[in-house]
Amino acid sequence: MRWTVLGCHSPFPGPGGATPGYLLEADGKRILIDCGSGVLAQLAKKMPLYDLDAVFLSHLHHDHISDFFVLQYAIMTAIKQKKRAVPLPVWAPAEPAHWYSKLSYDRYIEKHVMEEGTEASLGNLKFSFYRTDHAIPCYAMKIKEDQRILLYGADSGPKTNWTRMADSPDLFVCEATYLHKDLPSQPTGHLSARQAAEAALDLRAKKLLLTHLYPDYDPKSIQQEARSVFASSIVAETGLSIMI
Ligand SMILES: [Zn+2]
């Protein structure tokens, strides 16, 4: 499996950046995980947008879905021009219903509800979904290919129960919205870099990729904070690619 960062900022992109989006390449499939602002311009550097095999949206906040509405146009155009034959499958939570309904786009999108207890298979890949601690329904995704495991934590607060999702994932992709000193006194459904590193320890993860970064933070501060707890921590940047 190859995991490529297309966007790692939140809640808005920094210069040349994008809000969350990742390209997963495995078993001959190309899958987009989250589709935030600026993600398509990064994806288009790697492949034609209309060649995607599937999209998984962890939750329906704008920083994770805003480019999806433009992706619909790329799919529509490609199908009309016979560059693509089939609708684009997308998995997403059914709530908030108002936003879920907007993911439909005539015959160009094939929607599937993402919820805990359901699984999705694409070729050799198996996706399992786990609810996280967030303001709206949001799902972490365990992606398995043979014995390899990637756990994408999506947006997640400190009450997220990680250890039921995986044991020793090869890669744990976790949000680090705050430096710990800036953590609000009331939890907001987000983590600090230190809390992400603690989650990686609990999971016995082999490697931690910190993402969902406030664009004004210095990535070195995020890395330093995480590494003081979990040594194998790296900070996401646009274009970073990790083989698992
Ligand atoms: Zn977010």
Side-chain angles (χ1 to χ4, degrees), residues 9-11 20 58-59 61 63-64 134 154-155 175 177 190 212:
H9 289 150
S10 182
S58 63
H59 65 299
H61 274 153
D63 56 330
H64 294 252
H134 200 52
D155 282 14
E175 70 142 274
T177 298
H190 292 291
H212 203 273

Side-chain angles (χ1 to χ4, degrees), residues 147-188:
Q147 294 313 307
R148 278 185 260 273
I149 293 177
L150 188 157
L151 182 62
Y152 170 51
D155 282 14
S156 49
K159 292 197 191 105
T160 302
N161 180 347
W162 295 108
T163 51
R164 75 202 171 99
M165 301 180 195
D167 184 22
S168 318
D170 297 280
L171 178 65
F172 175 39
V173 181
C174 189
E175 70 142 274
T177 298
Y178 301 108
L179 285 168
H180 205 72
K181 67 178 172 62
D182 299 329
L183 202 60
S185 55
Q186 293 301 316
T188 59

